[in-house]
Amino acid sequence: ALLSTNNKGLGTVDSSGDSEVDAKQAEVFARHPRFKHLMTKHKDTMMALNSSAAGTDSSGSGKIGEDVINVTIRSMAASSCDVEPLQKRLPRSLQVGRIKAMCARAFGLDIDLQILHFRIEGDPFPTELDDADHSLVYYGVTDGAEILVNEVDVEAQKRERARQEEDHKRRIEQQEQHVTVLQSMQKSDHRINLIATEMSQKI
């Protein structure tokens, strides 16, 4: 569903069905914690985007002729960070998956290993484009935005996975040692109780 701005500057969806609206809005906020900030900061732009998607201009009259934005696509991956950035005019309806395919051809990066973010001038942190099926307008990518392309470090992932497995193994061993100590103490207590019982019976 297309996101818009309400009179409080927060993101919402079509006015029909309040429960559905709340659920979709909550999902968006959960997946993108900075969405409220972006919606507030770029409220006018997002209203224009929504009007465009509805087939009218911001005044409600006429068809929008240019449903495209200018973006710069820059590779941040070690293997292609020196490649000249792409200057593209892209439709707002373009899906993230299509952009990844474009980056695979331009920068020689595996589609499955790509991580895309976008930033707008003045934003302190880039926003991740984390779903290949969603479009640029869904994330609020506006004219002049910069799309940053990173690549997952497979070797780093393997090292991190090995470290996590080693940590898990060490925790299991520590727990087993703790259980062994407790069992030994319980056996000692049991023997002491038996001796004490025998001695009390002899007295």
Side-chain angles (χ1 to χ4, degrees), residues 95-127:
Q95 292 180 323
V96 172
R98 297 285 298 276
I99 299 176
K100 287 189 173 184
M102 184 188 309
C103 294
R105 293 191 297 269
F107 303 124
L109 303 176
D110 190 323
I111 290 180
D112 295 331
L113 299 181
Q114 290 180 34
I115 303 175
L116 303 187
H117 293 77
F118 84 93
R119 63 186 178 192
I120 301 171
E121 185 177 358
D123 284 345
F125 302 105
T127 300

PDB file of all heavy atoms in Angstrom, residues 95-127:
ATOM      1  N   GLN A  95      11.510  -1.671  -8.652  1.00  0.00           N
ATOM      2  CA  GLN A  95      11.742  -2.495  -7.479  1.00  0.00           C
ATOM      3  C   GLN A  95      13.233  -2.572  -7.145  1.00  0.00           C
ATOM      4  O   GLN A  95      14.096  -2.476  -8.016  1.00  0.00           O
ATOM      5  CB  GLN A  95      11.191  -3.904  -7.694  1.00  0.00           C
ATOM      6  CG  GLN A  95       9.672  -3.972  -7.783  1.00  0.00           C
ATOM      7  CD  GLN A  95       9.186  -5.387  -8.000  1.00  0.00           C
ATOM      8  OE1 GLN A  95       9.801  -6.159  -8.714  1.00  0.00           O
ATOM      9  NE2 GLN A  95       8.063  -5.725  -7.373  1.00  0.00           N
ATOM     10  N   VAL A  96      13.508  -2.775  -5.861  1.00  0.00           N
ATOM     11  CA  VAL A  96      14.891  -2.870  -5.395  1.00  0.00           C
ATOM     12  C   VAL A  96      15.622  -4.017  -6.084  1.00  0.00           C
ATOM     13  O   VAL A  96      16.808  -3.913  -6.408  1.00  0.00           O
ATOM     14  CB  VAL A  96      14.916  -3.055  -3.860  1.00  0.00           C
ATOM     15  CG1 VAL A  96      16.332  -3.356  -3.363  1.00  0.00           C
ATOM     16  CG2 VAL A  96      14.366  -1.816  -3.168  1.00  0.00           C
ATOM     17  N   GLY A  97      14.918  -5.112  -6.340  1.00  0.00           N
ATOM     18  CA  GLY A  97      15.537  -6.259  -7.009  1.00  0.00           C
ATOM     19  C   GLY A  97      16.067  -5.911  -8.388  1.00  0.00           C
ATOM     20  O   GLY A  97      17.115  -6.431  -8.816  1.00  0.00           O
ATOM     21  N   ARG A  98      15.360  -5.020  -9.096  1.00  0.00           N
ATOM     22  CA  ARG A  98      15.820  -4.594 -10.423  1.00  0.00           C
ATOM     23  C   ARG A  98      17.087  -3.756 -10.303  1.00  0.00           C
ATOM     24  O   ARG A  98      17.977  -3.815 -11.161  1.00  0.00           O
ATOM     25  CB  ARG A  98      14.713  -3.788 -11.113  1.00  0.00           C
ATOM     26  CG  ARG A  98      13.441  -4.572 -11.379  1.00  0.00           C
ATOM     27  CD  ARG A  98      13.622  -5.528 -12.554  1.00  0.00           C
ATOM     28  NE  ARG A  98      13.925  -4.787 -13.769  1.00  0.00           N
ATOM     29  CZ  ARG A  98      13.011  -4.229 -14.566  1.00  0.00           C
ATOM     30  NH1 ARG A  98      11.723  -4.290 -14.237  1.00  0.00           N
ATOM     31  NH2 ARG A  98      13.369  -3.603 -15.682  1.00  0.00           N
ATOM     32  N   ILE A  99      17.160  -2.953  -9.255  1.00  0.00           N
ATOM     33  CA  ILE A  99      18.361  -2.139  -9.045  1.00  0.00           C
ATOM     34  C   ILE A  99      19.550  -3.041  -8.740  1.00  0.00           C
ATOM     35  O   ILE A  99      20.673  -2.800  -9.206  1.00  0.00           O
ATOM     36  CB  ILE A  99      18.138  -1.136  -7.900  1.00  0.00           C
ATOM     37  CG1 ILE A  99      16.992  -0.193  -8.256  1.00  0.00           C
ATOM     38  CG2 ILE A  99      19.406  -0.343  -7.620  1.00  0.00           C
ATOM     39  CD1 ILE A  99      16.630   0.779  -7.156  1.00  0.00           C
ATOM     40  N   LYS A 100      19.317  -4.106  -7.975  1.00  0.00           N
ATOM     41  CA  LYS A 100      20.403  -5.046  -7.675  1.00  0.00           C
ATOM     42  C   LYS A 100      20.917  -5.712  -8.938  1.00  0.00           C
ATOM     43  O   LYS A 100      22.126  -5.917  -9.100  1.00  0.00           O
ATOM     44  CB  LYS A 100      19.925  -6.101  -6.674  1.00  0.00           C
ATOM     45  CG  LYS A 100      19.761  -5.575  -5.256  1.00  0.00           C
ATOM     46  CD  LYS A 100      19.492  -6.710  -4.279  1.00  0.00           C
ATOM     47  CE  LYS A 100      19.500  -6.210  -2.844  1.00  0.00           C
ATOM     48  NZ  LYS A 100      19.337  -7.310  -1.867  1.00  0.00           N
ATOM     49  N   ALA A 101      19.998  -6.041  -9.849  1.00  0.00           N
ATOM     50  CA  ALA A 101      20.410  -6.640 -11.122  1.00  0.00           C
ATOM     51  C   ALA A 101      21.251  -5.647 -11.923  1.00  0.00           C
ATOM     52  O   ALA A 101      22.247  -6.021 -12.562  1.00  0.00           O
ATOM     53  CB  ALA A 101      19.176  -7.069 -11.917  1.00  0.00           C
ATOM     54  N   MET A 102      20.871  -4.384 -11.894  1.00  0.00           N
ATOM     55  CA  MET A 102      21.623  -3.336 -12.567  1.00  0.00           C
ATOM     56  C   MET A 102      23.040  -3.218 -11.982  1.00  0.00           C
ATOM     57  O   MET A 102      24.031  -3.098 -12.707  1.00  0.00           O
ATOM     58  CB  MET A 102      20.872  -2.012 -12.428  1.00  0.00           C
ATOM     59  CG  MET A 102      21.483  -0.844 -13.170  1.00  0.00           C
ATOM     60  SD  MET A 102      20.638   0.704 -12.721  1.00  0.00           S
ATOM     61  CE  MET A 102      18.913   0.261 -12.985  1.00  0.00           C
ATOM     62  N   CYS A 103      23.114  -3.278 -10.647  1.00  0.00           N
ATOM     63  CA  CYS A 103      24.409  -3.173  -9.969  1.00  0.00           C
ATOM     64  C   CYS A 103      25.282  -4.388 -10.245  1.00  0.00           C
ATOM     65  O   CYS A 103      26.515  -4.279 -10.310  1.00  0.00           O
ATOM     66  CB  CYS A 103      24.199  -3.023  -8.465  1.00  0.00           C
ATOM     67  SG  CYS A 103      23.398  -1.467  -7.983  1.00  0.00           S
ATOM     68  N   ALA A 104      24.653  -5.542 -10.400  1.00  0.00           N
ATOM     69  CA  ALA A 104      25.415  -6.757 -10.707  1.00  0.00           C
ATOM     70  C   ALA A 104      26.131  -6.605 -12.044  1.00  0.00           C
ATOM     71  O   ALA A 104      27.299  -7.000 -12.189  1.00  0.00           O
ATOM     72  CB  ALA A 104      24.484  -7.969 -10.731  1.00  0.00           C
ATOM     73  N   ARG A 105      25.442  -6.007 -13.012  1.00  0.00           N
ATOM     74  CA  ARG A 105      26.056  -5.814 -14.329  1.00  0.00           C
ATOM     75  C   ARG A 105      27.108  -4.702 -14.292  1.00  0.00           C
ATOM     76  O   ARG A 105      28.185  -4.837 -14.888  1.00  0.00           O
ATOM     77  CB  ARG A 105      24.976  -5.465 -15.354  1.00  0.00           C
ATOM     78  CG  ARG A 105      23.989  -6.594 -15.633  1.00  0.00           C
ATOM     79  CD  ARG A 105      23.126  -6.270 -16.838  1.00  0.00           C
ATOM     80  NE  ARG A 105      22.301  -5.082 -16.602  1.00  0.00           N
ATOM     81  CZ  ARG A 105      21.087  -5.119 -16.093  1.00  0.00           C
ATOM     82  NH1 ARG A 105      20.557  -6.272 -15.724  1.00  0.00           N
ATOM     83  NH2 ARG A 105      20.386  -4.011 -15.925  1.00  0.00           N
ATOM     84  N   ALA A 106      26.809  -3.618 -13.604  1.00  0.00           N
ATOM     85  CA  ALA A 106      27.706  -2.455 -13.621  1.00  0.00           C
ATOM     86  C   ALA A 106      28.948  -2.648 -12.761  1.00  0.00           C
ATOM     87  O   ALA A 106      30.047  -2.220 -13.128  1.00  0.00           O
ATOM     88  CB  ALA A 106      26.949  -1.209 -13.169  1.00  0.00           C
ATOM     89  N   PHE A 107      28.784  -3.317 -11.600  1.00  0.00           N
ATOM     90  CA  PHE A 107      29.878  -3.414 -10.642  1.00  0.00           C
ATOM     91  C   PHE A 107      30.414  -4.831 -10.454  1.00  0.00           C
ATOM     92  O   PHE A 107      31.371  -5.042  -9.707  1.00  0.00           O
ATOM     93  CB  PHE A 107      29.429  -2.878  -9.278  1.00  0.00           C
ATOM     94  CG  PHE A 107      28.936  -1.460  -9.320  1.00  0.00           C
ATOM     95  CD1 PHE A 107      27.669  -1.131  -8.855  1.00  0.00           C
ATOM     96  CD2 PHE A 107      29.727  -0.439  -9.832  1.00  0.00           C
ATOM     97  CE1 PHE A 107      27.210   0.172  -8.877  1.00  0.00           C
ATOM     98  CE2 PHE A 107      29.279   0.874  -9.874  1.00  0.00           C
ATOM     99  CZ  PHE A 107      28.016   1.177  -9.401  1.00  0.00           C
ATOM    100  N   GLY A 108      29.779  -5.802 -11.135  1.00  0.00           N
ATOM    101  CA  GLY A 108      30.253  -7.178 -11.019  1.00  0.00           C
ATOM    102  C   GLY A 108      30.033  -7.781  -9.644  1.00  0.00           C
ATOM    103  O   GLY A 108      30.845  -8.576  -9.167  1.00  0.00           O
ATOM    104  N   LEU A 109      28.919  -7.420  -9.004  1.00  0.00           N
ATOM    105  CA  LEU A 109      28.627  -7.902  -7.658  1.00  0.00           C
ATOM    106  C   LEU A 109      27.513  -8.947  -7.687  1.00  0.00           C
ATOM    107  O   LEU A 109      26.539  -8.799  -8.421  1.00  0.00           O
ATOM    108  CB  LEU A 109      28.206  -6.738  -6.752  1.00  0.00           C
ATOM    109  CG  LEU A 109      29.210  -5.589  -6.615  1.00  0.00           C
ATOM    110  CD1 LEU A 109      28.609  -4.474  -5.764  1.00  0.00           C
ATOM    111  CD2 LEU A 109      30.514  -6.079  -6.012  1.00  0.00           C
ATOM    112  N   ASP A 110      27.664  -9.982  -6.890  1.00  0.00           N
ATOM    113  CA  ASP A 110      26.646 -11.025  -6.779  1.00  0.00           C
ATOM    114  C   ASP A 110      25.359 -10.420  -6.210  1.00  0.00           C
ATOM    115  O   ASP A 110      25.385  -9.768  -5.166  1.00  0.00           O
ATOM    116  CB  ASP A 110      27.161 -12.139  -5.859  1.00  0.00           C
ATOM    117  CG  ASP A 110      26.262 -13.375  -5.877  1.00  0.00           C
ATOM    118  OD1 ASP A 110      25.030 -13.217  -5.963  1.00  0.00           O
ATOM    119  OD2 ASP A 110      26.793 -14.493  -5.795  1.00  0.00           O
ATOM    120  N   ILE A 111      24.251 -10.649  -6.899  1.00  0.00           N
ATOM    121  CA  ILE A 111      22.968 -10.092  -6.459  1.00  0.00           C
ATOM    122  C   ILE A 111      22.632 -10.524  -5.035  1.00  0.00           C
ATOM    123  O   ILE A 111      22.176  -9.721  -4.214  1.00  0.00           O
ATOM    124  CB  ILE A 111      21.835 -10.511  -7.415  1.00  0.00           C
ATOM    125  CG1 ILE A 111      21.990  -9.808  -8.762  1.00  0.00           C
ATOM    126  CG2 ILE A 111      20.464 -10.187  -6.808  1.00  0.00           C
ATOM    127  CD1 ILE A 111      20.925 -10.164  -9.770  1.00  0.00           C
ATOM    128  N   ASP A 112      22.859 -11.791  -4.722  1.00  0.00           N
ATOM    129  CA  ASP A 112      22.484 -12.321  -3.410  1.00  0.00           C
ATOM    130  C   ASP A 112      23.350 -11.773  -2.279  1.00  0.00           C
ATOM    131  O   ASP A 112      22.995 -11.916  -1.103  1.00  0.00           O
ATOM    132  CB  ASP A 112      22.571 -13.851  -3.420  1.00  0.00           C
ATOM    133  CG  ASP A 112      21.557 -14.487  -4.358  1.00  0.00           C
ATOM    134  OD1 ASP A 112      20.487 -13.880  -4.552  1.00  0.00           O
ATOM    135  OD2 ASP A 112      21.831 -15.571  -4.889  1.00  0.00           O
ATOM    136  N   LEU A 113      24.485 -11.171  -2.619  1.00  0.00           N
ATOM    137  CA  LEU A 113      25.381 -10.648  -1.587  1.00  0.00           C
ATOM    138  C   LEU A 113      25.294  -9.134  -1.447  1.00  0.00           C
ATOM    139  O   LEU A 113      25.958  -8.547  -0.596  1.00  0.00           O
ATOM    140  CB  LEU A 113      26.834 -11.038  -1.902  1.00  0.00           C
ATOM    141  CG  LEU A 113      27.137 -12.542  -1.956  1.00  0.00           C
ATOM    142  CD1 LEU A 113      28.611 -12.772  -2.264  1.00  0.00           C
ATOM    143  CD2 LEU A 113      26.759 -13.219  -0.646  1.00  0.00           C
ATOM    144  N   GLN A 114      24.461  -8.507  -2.270  1.00  0.00           N
ATOM    145  CA  GLN A 114      24.369  -7.046  -2.235  1.00  0.00           C
ATOM    146  C   GLN A 114      23.518  -6.552  -1.056  1.00  0.00           C
ATOM    147  O   GLN A 114      22.518  -7.161  -0.692  1.00  0.00           O
ATOM    148  CB  GLN A 114      23.743  -6.522  -3.532  1.00  0.00           C
ATOM    149  CG  GLN A 114      24.636  -6.665  -4.756  1.00  0.00           C
ATOM    150  CD  GLN A 114      23.952  -6.134  -5.997  1.00  0.00           C
ATOM    151  OE1 GLN A 114      23.185  -5.179  -5.939  1.00  0.00           O
ATOM    152  NE2 GLN A 114      24.208  -6.754  -7.130  1.00  0.00           N
ATOM    153  N   ILE A 115      23.956  -5.435  -0.482  1.00  0.00           N
ATOM    154  CA  ILE A 115      23.186  -4.731   0.545  1.00  0.00           C
ATOM    155  C   ILE A 115      23.076  -3.280   0.088  1.00  0.00           C
ATOM    156  O   ILE A 115      24.089  -2.600  -0.073  1.00  0.00           O
ATOM    157  CB  ILE A 115      23.879  -4.798   1.917  1.00  0.00           C
ATOM    158  CG1 ILE A 115      24.119  -6.249   2.330  1.00  0.00           C
ATOM    159  CG2 ILE A 115      23.039  -4.079   2.971  1.00  0.00           C
ATOM    160  CD1 ILE A 115      24.913  -6.373   3.624  1.00  0.00           C
ATOM    161  N   LEU A 116      21.855  -2.811  -0.141  1.00  0.00           N
ATOM    162  CA  LEU A 116      21.638  -1.461  -0.645  1.00  0.00           C
ATOM    163  C   LEU A 116      21.121  -0.535   0.458  1.00  0.00           C
ATOM    164  O   LEU A 116      20.290  -0.925   1.274  1.00  0.00           O
ATOM    165  CB  LEU A 116      20.631  -1.468  -1.801  1.00  0.00           C
ATOM    166  CG  LEU A 116      20.947  -2.354  -3.018  1.00  0.00           C
ATOM    167  CD1 LEU A 116      19.936  -2.085  -4.121  1.00  0.00           C
ATOM    168  CD2 LEU A 116      22.353  -2.129  -3.512  1.00  0.00           C
ATOM    169  N   HIS A 117      21.639   0.678   0.453  1.00  0.00           N
ATOM    170  CA  HIS A 117      21.138   1.747   1.310  1.00  0.00           C
ATOM    171  C   HIS A 117      20.946   2.990   0.442  1.00  0.00           C
ATOM    172  O   HIS A 117      21.521   3.079  -0.644  1.00  0.00           O
ATOM    173  CB  HIS A 117      22.124   2.086   2.437  1.00  0.00           C
ATOM    174  CG  HIS A 117      22.312   0.998   3.445  1.00  0.00           C
ATOM    175  ND1 HIS A 117      23.093  -0.114   3.207  1.00  0.00           N
ATOM    176  CD2 HIS A 117      21.821   0.857   4.713  1.00  0.00           C
ATOM    177  CE1 HIS A 117      23.074  -0.901   4.282  1.00  0.00           C
ATOM    178  NE2 HIS A 117      22.326  -0.333   5.204  1.00  0.00           N
ATOM    179  N   PHE A 118      20.143   3.921   0.907  1.00  0.00           N
ATOM    180  CA  PHE A 118      20.070   5.204   0.220  1.00  0.00           C
ATOM    181  C   PHE A 118      20.161   6.317   1.237  1.00  0.00           C
ATOM    182  O   PHE A 118      19.827   6.152   2.411  1.00  0.00           O
ATOM    183  CB  PHE A 118      18.778   5.327  -0.612  1.00  0.00           C
ATOM    184  CG  PHE A 118      17.580   5.791   0.173  1.00  0.00           C
ATOM    185  CD1 PHE A 118      17.249   7.144   0.252  1.00  0.00           C
ATOM    186  CD2 PHE A 118      16.778   4.881   0.837  1.00  0.00           C
ATOM    187  CE1 PHE A 118      16.146   7.573   0.979  1.00  0.00           C
ATOM    188  CE2 PHE A 118      15.671   5.295   1.568  1.00  0.00           C
ATOM    189  CZ  PHE A 118      15.358   6.650   1.632  1.00  0.00           C
ATOM    190  N   ARG A 119      20.638   7.452   0.771  1.00  0.00           N
ATOM    191  CA  ARG A 119      20.712   8.624   1.642  1.00  0.00           C
ATOM    192  C   ARG A 119      20.362   9.860   0.839  1.00  0.00           C
ATOM    193  O   ARG A 119      20.593   9.929  -0.368  1.00  0.00           O
ATOM    194  CB  ARG A 119      22.101   8.762   2.266  1.00  0.00           C
ATOM    195  CG  ARG A 119      23.238   8.988   1.278  1.00  0.00           C
ATOM    196  CD  ARG A 119      24.573   8.972   1.991  1.00  0.00           C
ATOM    197  NE  ARG A 119      25.688   9.141   1.054  1.00  0.00           N
ATOM    198  CZ  ARG A 119      26.968   8.942   1.375  1.00  0.00           C
ATOM    199  NH1 ARG A 119      27.284   8.573   2.609  1.00  0.00           N
ATOM    200  NH2 ARG A 119      27.920   9.108   0.473  1.00  0.00           N
ATOM    201  N   ILE A 120      19.776  10.813   1.549  1.00  0.00           N
ATOM    202  CA  ILE A 120      19.418  12.101   0.976  1.00  0.00           C
ATOM    203  C   ILE A 120      20.282  13.142   1.666  1.00  0.00           C
ATOM    204  O   ILE A 120      20.613  12.995   2.843  1.00  0.00           O
ATOM    205  CB  ILE A 120      17.924  12.388   1.185  1.00  0.00           C
ATOM    206  CG1 ILE A 120      17.079  11.288   0.534  1.00  0.00           C
ATOM    207  CG2 ILE A 120      17.531  13.742   0.609  1.00  0.00           C
ATOM    208  CD1 ILE A 120      15.610  11.364   0.870  1.00  0.00           C
ATOM    209  N   GLU A 121      20.649  14.150   0.949  1.00  0.00           N
ATOM    210  CA  GLU A 121      21.523  15.178   1.509  1.00  0.00           C
ATOM    211  C   GLU A 121      20.948  15.707   2.832  1.00  0.00           C
ATOM    212  O   GLU A 121      19.785  16.093   2.910  1.00  0.00           O
ATOM    213  CB  GLU A 121      21.693  16.335   0.521  1.00  0.00           C
ATOM    214  CG  GLU A 121      22.680  17.387   0.984  1.00  0.00           C
ATOM    215  CD  GLU A 121      22.880  18.482  -0.049  1.00  0.00           C
ATOM    216  OE1 GLU A 121      22.265  18.391  -1.138  1.00  0.00           O
ATOM    217  OE2 GLU A 121      23.640  19.412   0.220  1.00  0.00           O
ATOM    218  N   GLY A 122      21.780  15.706   3.837  1.00  0.00           N
ATOM    219  CA  GLY A 122      21.353  16.177   5.143  1.00  0.00           C
ATOM    220  C   GLY A 122      21.002  15.064   6.105  1.00  0.00           C
ATOM    221  O   GLY A 122      20.913  15.288   7.318  1.00  0.00           O
ATOM    222  N   ASP A 123      20.797  13.838   5.592  1.00  0.00           N
ATOM    223  CA  ASP A 123      20.491  12.710   6.464  1.00  0.00           C
ATOM    224  C   ASP A 123      21.775  12.185   7.102  1.00  0.00           C
ATOM    225  O   ASP A 123      22.741  11.884   6.385  1.00  0.00           O
ATOM    226  CB  ASP A 123      19.823  11.573   5.672  1.00  0.00           C
ATOM    227  CG  ASP A 123      18.372  11.872   5.364  1.00  0.00           C
ATOM    228  OD1 ASP A 123      17.834  12.800   5.989  1.00  0.00           O
ATOM    229  OD2 ASP A 123      17.792  11.184   4.512  1.00  0.00           O
ATOM    230  N   PRO A 124      21.814  12.025   8.412  1.00  0.00           N
ATOM    231  CA  PRO A 124      23.035  11.547   9.068  1.00  0.00           C
ATOM    232  C   PRO A 124      23.306  10.067   8.832  1.00  0.00           C
ATOM    233  O   PRO A 124      24.450   9.628   8.836  1.00  0.00           O
ATOM    234  CB  PRO A 124      22.769  11.828  10.552  1.00  0.00           C
ATOM    235  CG  PRO A 124      21.284  11.810  10.678  1.00  0.00           C
ATOM    236  CD  PRO A 124      20.762  12.372   9.388  1.00  0.00           C
ATOM    237  N   PHE A 125      22.235   9.290   8.627  1.00  0.00           N
ATOM    238  CA  PHE A 125      22.407   7.850   8.445  1.00  0.00           C
ATOM    239  C   PHE A 125      21.638   7.385   7.205  1.00  0.00           C
ATOM    240  O   PHE A 125      20.508   7.818   6.970  1.00  0.00           O
ATOM    241  CB  PHE A 125      21.887   7.086   9.666  1.00  0.00           C
ATOM    242  CG  PHE A 125      22.558   7.481  10.949  1.00  0.00           C
ATOM    243  CD1 PHE A 125      21.896   8.281  11.871  1.00  0.00           C
ATOM    244  CD2 PHE A 125      23.856   7.077  11.231  1.00  0.00           C
ATOM    245  CE1 PHE A 125      22.499   8.652  13.058  1.00  0.00           C
ATOM    246  CE2 PHE A 125      24.470   7.447  12.411  1.00  0.00           C
ATOM    247  CZ  PHE A 125      23.794   8.236  13.330  1.00  0.00           C
ATOM    248  N   PRO A 126      22.236   6.489   6.416  1.00  0.00           N
ATOM    249  CA  PRO A 126      21.515   5.946   5.261  1.00  0.00           C
ATOM    250  C   PRO A 126      20.437   4.965   5.696  1.00  0.00           C
ATOM    251  O   PRO A 126      20.503   4.395   6.791  1.00  0.00           O
ATOM    252  CB  PRO A 126      22.625   5.240   4.460  1.00  0.00           C
ATOM    253  CG  PRO A 126      23.670   4.897   5.473  1.00  0.00           C
ATOM    254  CD  PRO A 126      23.628   5.991   6.496  1.00  0.00           C
ATOM    255  N   THR A 127      19.440   4.778   4.848  1.00  0.00           N
ATOM    256  CA  THR A 127      18.337   3.859   5.116  1.00  0.00           C
ATOM    257  C   THR A 127      18.485   2.627   4.232  1.00  0.00           C
ATOM    258  O   THR A 127      18.725   2.741   3.027  1.00  0.00           O
ATOM    259  CB  THR A 127      16.981   4.528   4.814  1.00  0.00           C
ATOM    260  OG1 THR A 127      16.837   5.684   5.644  1.00  0.00           O
ATOM    261  CG2 THR A 127      15.831   3.568   5.082  1.00  0.00           C
TER     262      THR A 127
END
